[in-house]
């Protein structure tokens, strides 16, 4: 008993002296960052669940386990900075964001009306734009973004993220997805669990289109589907079939165009899944 009280007194006397003098205030804030620090990259972090996390102008949601996510747009110019505020303490970390080289890709043979839409479809395009924006407006508490992802489809990669696209000789916006070629009807699976926020069988540019919410502003997009096999509001598990490959919208042949938003930034989803498996290049299909 005497020994214990001795120890308590020793801690009481030493702690106020030693802790502030030898340990910077922010050292109490845990921070791990894991991901791709490059344009189009996605970074998942973990800190104290009670912390407030700032990335640029954004305040990022933090899960009960302390997870958060942010991403770098195609033309993001570093350095990036993240600040973690916990009580009176702030931990800031800056990091370089690598620039990427983007190709120019010439795509001929797409339906001309999808390159320069005729005036009579402009209302439809505008209405569909509003539907798409609404389907990615909500930032939800799902935490699937913090778990490993799988390819939604394996096959030949025919288009990469960020390339400048020239359709039938007409320059258009950069391509912000990854194109994976497979025959019409090949199943597309959910790369991670999520909630379907858009399930549209026939959009003007995208054909069959699905948005899948993985939480904290991470929403991915599946384009040109011949069949949409889920409904809005439906929850799906990783690996569950959500649709079938097709060639609808602005496409020259059957493929999946997989895209991703993270808190509004259009990022490269292939960062989450590593290289395309070689044995599964679709050659035998
Ligand atoms: Zn594409």
């Amino acid at each position: 008993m005497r020994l214990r009280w001795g120890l308590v007194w020793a801690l009481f006397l030493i702690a106020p002296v030693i802790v502030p003098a030898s340990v910077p205030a922010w050292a109490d804030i845990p921070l791990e960052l894991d991901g791709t620090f490059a344009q189009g990259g996605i970074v998942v972090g973990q800190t104290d669940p009670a912390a407030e996390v700032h990335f640029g102008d954004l305040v990022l949601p933090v899960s009960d386990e302390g997870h958060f996510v942010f991403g770098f747009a195609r033309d993001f110019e570093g350095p990036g900075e993240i600040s973690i505020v916990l009580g009176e303490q702030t931990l800031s970390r800056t990091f370089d964001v690598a620039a990427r080289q983007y190709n120019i890709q010439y795509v001929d043979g797409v339906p001309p009306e999808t390159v320069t839409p005729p005036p009579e479809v402009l209302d439809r395009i505008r209405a569909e734009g509003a539907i798409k924006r609404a389907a990615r407006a909500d930032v939800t508490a799902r935490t699937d973004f913090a778990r490993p992802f799988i390819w939604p489809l394996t096959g030949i990669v025919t288009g990469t993220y960020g390339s400048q696209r020239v359709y039938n000789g007409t320059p258009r916006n950069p391509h912000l997805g990854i194109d994976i070629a497979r025959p019409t009807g090949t199943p597309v699976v959910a790369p991670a669990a999520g909630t379907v926020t858009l399930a549209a069988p026939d959009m003007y540019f995208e054909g069959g289109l699905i948005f899948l919410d993985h939480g904290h502003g991470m929403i991915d997009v599946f384009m040109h589907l011949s069949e949409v096999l889920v409904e809005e509001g439906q929850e799906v598990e990783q690996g569950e079939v959500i649709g079938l490959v097709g060639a609808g919208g602005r496409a020259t042949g059957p493929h999946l165009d997989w895209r991703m938003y993270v808190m509004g930034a259009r990022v490269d989803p292939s960062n989450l899944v590593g290289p395309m498996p070689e044995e599964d290049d679709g050659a035998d299909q």
Side-chain angles (χ1 to χ4, degrees), residues 108-249:
D108 293 321
V110 299
E113 67 276 13
T114 65
V115 179
T116 306
E120 62 269 22
V121 298
L122 293 181
D123 283 347
R124 175 183 170 190
I125 290 169
R126 224 171 275 129
E128 291 181 354
I131 291 167
K132 287 182 276 183
R133 278 192 298 280
R136 60 182 178 82
D138 290 344
V139 175
T140 71
R142 293 195 70 107
T143 55
D144 313 290
F145 68 90
R147 300 197 188 93
F149 276 55
I150 60 173
W151 283 100
L153 177 74
T154 55
I156 299 167
V157 174
T158 54
T160 52
Y161 171 91
S163 51
Q164 184 64 53
R165 279 279 171 96
V166 181
Y167 291 97
N168 300 352
T170 304
R172 282 292 178 260
N173 290 337
H175 183 256
L176 293 172
I178 179 165
D179 289 332
I180 306 160
R182 272 292 181 121
T184 293
T186 309
V188 172
V189 303
T195 303
V196 177
T197 63
L198 182 68
D202 183 26
M203 298 294 249
Y204 188 75
F205 289 118
E206 298 91 350
L209 178 65
I210 295 171
F211 283 16
L212 195 54
D213 171 33
H214 304 293
H216 289 214
M218 180 189 276
I219 292 166
D220 56 2
V221 175
F222 308 85
M223 292 167 47
H224 309 304
L225 302 169
S226 59
E227 295 280 346
V228 169
L229 301 174
V230 288
E231 292 174 0
E232 285 164 23
Q234 185 178 336
E235 298 199 18
V236 298
E237 295 302 319
Q238 183 179 56
E240 194 173 329
V241 175
I242 56 174
L244 304 179
V245 170

Side-chain angles (χ1 to χ4, degrees), residues 7-193:
L7 188 62
V8 170
W9 276 109
L11 285 173
F12 183 76
L13 291 171
I14 292 168
V17 180
I18 288 181
V19 171
S22 62
V23 182
W26 45 258
D28 294 337
I29 303 180
L31 176 61
E32 275 179 52
L33 298 175
D34 185 19
T36 307
F37 293 84
Q39 291 172 338
I42 301 155
V43 176
V44 174
Q46 191 170 20
T47 186
D48 190 303
E52 192 176 280
V53 178
H54 297 258
F55 170 63
D57 298 335
L58 300 172
V59 178
L60 304 178
V62 179
S63 76
D64 291 345
E65 293 180 346
H67 285 116
F68 58 90
V69 63
F70 57 97
F72 308 110
R74 177 187 188 267
D75 299 311
F76 187 95
E77 288 195 31
E81 182 177 19
I82 188 131
S83 298
I84 315 288
V85 181
L86 186 63
E88 303 281 284
Q89 306 176 351
T90 299
L91 165 61
S92 290
R93 191 174 289 177
T94 56
F95 39 79
D96 289 329
V97 178
R100 282 174 61 163
Q101 298 284 337
Y102 298 114
N103 305 327
I104 297 183
Q105 197 175 15
Y106 296 88
V107 185
D108 293 321
V110 299
E113 67 276 13
T114 65
V115 179
T116 306
E120 62 269 22
V121 298
L122 293 181
D123 283 347
R124 175 183 170 190
I125 290 169
R126 224 171 275 129
E128 291 181 354
I131 291 167
K132 287 182 276 183
R133 278 192 298 280
R136 60 182 178 82
D138 290 344
V139 175
T140 71
R142 293 195 70 107
T143 55
D144 313 290
F145 68 90
R147 300 197 188 93
F149 276 55
I150 60 173
W151 283 100
L153 177 74
T154 55
I156 299 167
V157 174
T158 54
T160 52
Y161 171 91
S163 51
Q164 184 64 53
R165 279 279 171 96
V166 181
Y167 291 97
N168 300 352
T170 304
R172 282 292 178 260
N173 290 337
H175 183 256
L176 293 172
I178 179 165
D179 289 332
I180 306 160
R182 272 292 181 121
T184 293
T186 309
V188 172
V189 303

